[in-house]
Amino acid sequence: MTTNDVPLLDSGHARLNQLGYKQELKRDLSVLSNFAFSFSIISVLTGITTLYNNGLNYGGPVSMVYGWLVACFFTMIVALSMAEICSSYPTSGGLYYWSAKLAGPSWAPFASWITGWFNIVGQWAVTTSVDYSLAQLVQVIILLSTGGKNGGGYVASKYEVIALHGGILVLHGILNSLPISLLSFLGQLGAAWNFLGVFLMILIPSVATERASASFVFTNFNTNNGAGISSRPYIFLIGLLMSQYTLTGYDSSAHMTEETKDADINGPRGIITAVGISIIVGWGYIIGISFAVTDIPYLLSKNNDAGGYAIAEIFYLAFKSRYGNGVGGIICLVIVAVAIFFCGMSSITSNSRMAYAFSRDGAMPLSSLWHKVNKQEVPINAVWLSVIISFCMALTSLGSKVAFDAMVSIATIGLYIAYALPIFFRVTLAQNRFVQGPFNLGRYGIIVGWIAVLWVMTISVLFSLPVSYPITLETLNYTPVAVGILLIIVILYWVVSGRFWFKGPVTNIKD
C-alpha cells in the first residue's frame, strides 16, 4: 500500500502518521537534498560577504578568525540539540511543533504560539536580509562595471535597489512554485555552487600583488572602529555578529522533513552536516580573504571604487593590481551573487513550509488559504505569502537604514530564540518524558541542551549592546527594541485573540 507514491515503510512517513498527520507533501528528498537546502541557506558566501565590513570594523582579522571558531562551537551545540529533537518529531512545523510536544498539555498552546511566531517572522527577516543584500551586491557590481565610484560609475538609488530586491523575490517565488523534484535539483546545485565558490574565493590572495602576512591575519586586532569603542573584549564580542548571522537557517532541514525520505534519520543528518561543512569552508573563506587585506581604513572608506563594500573592493583591487583592470574581481562578485541567489531561493522554500505547517494548525490569519497545496503538491500560497511579506519588510529601507537594520536584527536574535525555546522545554518540562528518536545524544542530551540555551541567552544580550558611542537616535542599537516589539505583538495577539481558539498543533488523521 502506498500514499502519494511513498511506501508506508518509510520511517519518516510512518512517524508522521504516528504524530497524527497525513502525508500531503511529496516525500521525494534524499539526505543530500535535505542537507543542500540548509547548507544553501547558511551560505557562508552570503553571510560573511554581507557582514565582512562589520567584522573588519570590530576587531578585524582576530575577531573574524577566532570569533568564527567561538560562534561555530556553540552553534554546533545548538544544532546537535535541535537534531535530537528533530529525530523524534520529523514534521514541517519543526520548532513550534517541538515546543508544543515538549512543554506538555498545559503549556503547549502558548509555547507553540510564541515559538512559531518567532520562527516564521525570523525566517521572513532572513529572506528579506538575504535578497536585499543580493540587490545591494548587484548594485555594487553595476557600479564597478561602469567605472567604479572614482571613475564615474553608476550609483543606483535606494528605489532602484528596492525594485531589484522585488524582482529577485519574484524569481524566487517562481522557482519555488516548481515541483519539489526540480527544486531539489536546484537546491543541490546551490549547495555545490556555494561549496566550490568558497574555494575559488580563497584563491583571491594569490592574484593580488600585495598580500597580508600570516602575523597580520592571525594576530592583528583592529581597534580603530570610529565608533568610540576601545575595549578589546567588547569589540571582540560585537564582532561575533558576522559569524552568528552567517550560521542561521539550518532549521530548514527540519521544515523539509515531510518531504524527506527516512526523515527521522536524514533530517538530523541534514542539520548537523550543513552546520559542520559550513564551519570548515567558512573558516577557510575568512582566512583566505583576510590574506588580501592590506589597508582596513581604505577598504571601509565610502570613497573607494566599491563605495565602501569591503569584499568587493578586495576582489576588484586584487585583479586591478595584477592585470590593470578589475574584470576578474567583478566575475568573482558575480559568482558570490549567484551563491546568494541560491541562498534566497532556499530560504523561501523553508519559509513556505513553515507557513504551511503553522497555518495547517490554524495559527495564522486566513490559515485555510496558506496551507493549501497545488497539483504538484507544493504549498503555493505559502510561497507567495513569503515573497510578499519579505518585500514589505524591505520597504523599511526606504525610511531609514536604522529601521531596516532593526528589522533585520530579528533574523539573528529572533530566529535563535525560536531555536532555544524547544530545547529549553526539552531540558526542563520534558526532561523525564522526552522519547528519543533514532538520532540522540544519550545521557549527554540534557547538558548539551543547557549549553545551547545559555549560548542563545548570551548572544541575545551581546547583540543588543550599543555598537557606537556616544549613543544617539542615529547610533542606538535598535535590536532589543525590534525583538521587544515583536514579543509584545505576539503576546498581545495571544491575550486578545489566540488563547481563545489556538490549541497548538492539530492532527489531521482521524483515529
Side-chain angles (χ1 to χ4, degrees), residues 4 37 108 132 140 146 148 162 308 353 374 380 438 454 466 479:
N4 293 339
F37 281 108
Y132 190 79
V140 172
T146 53
I162 200 69
R353 272 50 178 186
N374 62 13
I380 191 72
L454 291 173
T479 296

Side-chain angles (χ1 to χ4, degrees), residues 99 143 268 274 276 279 289 302-303 314 369 393 398 430 453-454 477:
S99 284
L143 172 63
I279 287 172
I289 295 303
K302 297 292 184 182
N303 295 319
I314 290 171
L369 183 63
M393 281 183 155
L398 298 178
V453 170
L454 291 173
N477 182 356

Side-chain angles (χ1 to χ4, degrees), residues 197-275:
V198 168
F199 286 98
L200 287 174
M201 299 309 108
I202 290 174
L203 298 176
I204 292 294
S206 66
V207 177
T209 54
E210 290 185 60
R211 285 181 288 275
S213 65
S215 174
F216 176 86
V217 172
F218 293 103
T219 65
N220 181 272
F221 194 95
N222 178 38
T223 58
N224 185 24
N225 48 63
I229 302 173
S230 58
S231 169
R232 288 180 173 239
Y234 194 99
I235 292 171
F236 181 83
L237 293 174
I238 293 176
L240 289 175
L241 178 61
M242 181 199 76
S243 302
Q244 201 63 71
Y245 170 79
T246 301
L247 296 165
T248 55
Y250 46 90
D251 58 313
S252 173
S253 287
H255 297 302
M256 303 303 294
T257 49
E258 289 186 35
E259 295 161 272
T260 302
K261 300 172 185 176
D262 297 321
D264 52 343
I265 300 172
N266 291 333
R269 285 177 177 171
I271 293 173
I272 296 168
T273 308
V275 172

Side-chain angles (χ1 to χ4, degrees), residues 312-348:
E313 186 67 17
I314 290 171
F315 291 177
Y316 188 73
L317 284 180
F319 282 87
K320 189 173 182 180
S321 64
R322 173 74 64 180
Y323 303 107
N325 63 71
V327 173
I330 295 172
I331 293 173
C332 288
L333 289 175
V334 171
I335 292 173
V336 173
V338 173
I340 299 176
F341 182 86
F342 279 123
C343 175
M345 180 199 75
S346 297
S347 188
I348 287 286

Side-chain angles (χ1 to χ4, degrees), residues 6-17 23 27 29 257 260-264 266:
V6 178
L8 288 178
L9 292 175
D10 179 276
S11 62
H13 187 152
R15 181 58 179 152
L16 184 67
N17 290 167
Q23 182 69 50
R27 194 176 287 275
L29 299 180
T257 49
T260 302
K261 300 172 185 176
D262 297 321
D264 52 343
N266 291 333

Side-chain angles (χ1 to χ4, degrees), residues 36 39-40 43 184-195 338-339 342-343 345-346:
F39 184 71
S40 294
S43 181
S184 170
F185 169 75
L186 290 174
Q188 292 182 45
L189 179 61
W193 188 279
N194 271 276
F195 188 79
V338 173
F342 279 123
C343 175
M345 180 199 75
S346 297

